[in-house]
Amino acid sequence: MYLSKTKLDETFFEHISKGEGVVDYLYLVDSYGGILPHEVAEKVKKAVGHTSFQIGFHGHNNMELALANSIAAMESGAQIIDGTITGMG
């Protein structure tokens, strides 16, 4: 939920790799809406490079950056981007 504060380090990826063969998607989630586009890009690239899962991104618009963050996630290799219609999602 708090992607801006989550450390995607070796320990994280060691734990996540235990889901290979069971998990289909790894979602990076910013439910607090506190991450910047360059941080999204860095974390998505790291996840793409360290896992075999499809990467998803779920952002919120607290700082009016949901669209910019979603674009950064797509450009960095995320295959799934969550969205809403009229803000209700």
Side-chain angles (χ1 to χ4, degrees), residues 2 4 6 10 13 18 22 27-28 39-40 50 53 77 87 89:
Y2 209 172
S4 59
T6 300
E10 293 302 317
F13 289 111
K18 294 175 184 172
V22 178
Y27 256 83
L28 303 179
E39 296 171 309
V40 172
H50 284 83
F53 309 129

Side-chain angles (χ1 to χ4, degrees), residues 1 3 26-33 35 40 55-61 66 69-70 73 78 80-84 89:
M1 286 192 45
L3 183 60
L26 172 62
Y27 256 83
L28 303 179
V29 179
D30 182 39
S31 289
Y32 291 120
I35 197 164
V40 172
I55 304 301
F57 176 73
H58 175 96
H60 282 238
N61 205 32
N69 285 338
S70 295
I80 307 160
I81 306 295
D82 287 352
T84 66

Side-chain angles (χ1 to χ4, degrees), residues 50-67:
H50 284 83
T51 69
S52 62
F53 309 129
Q54 289 189 24
I55 304 301
F57 176 73
H58 175 96
H60 282 238
N61 205 32
N62 302 41
M63 299 190 313
E64 299 295 325
L65 291 173
L67 179 59

Side-chain angles (χ1 to χ4, degrees), residues 7 11 17 26 32 34 36-37 42-43 46 50 53-55 63 71 73-74 84-85:
K7 290 184 171 61
T11 303
S17 68
L26 172 62
Y32 291 120
L36 301 172
E42 174 188 319
K43 292 183 185 224
K46 194 176 276 191
H50 284 83
F53 309 129
Q54 289 189 24
I55 304 301
M63 299 190 313
I71 292 169
M74 285 182 359
T84 66
I85 297 173

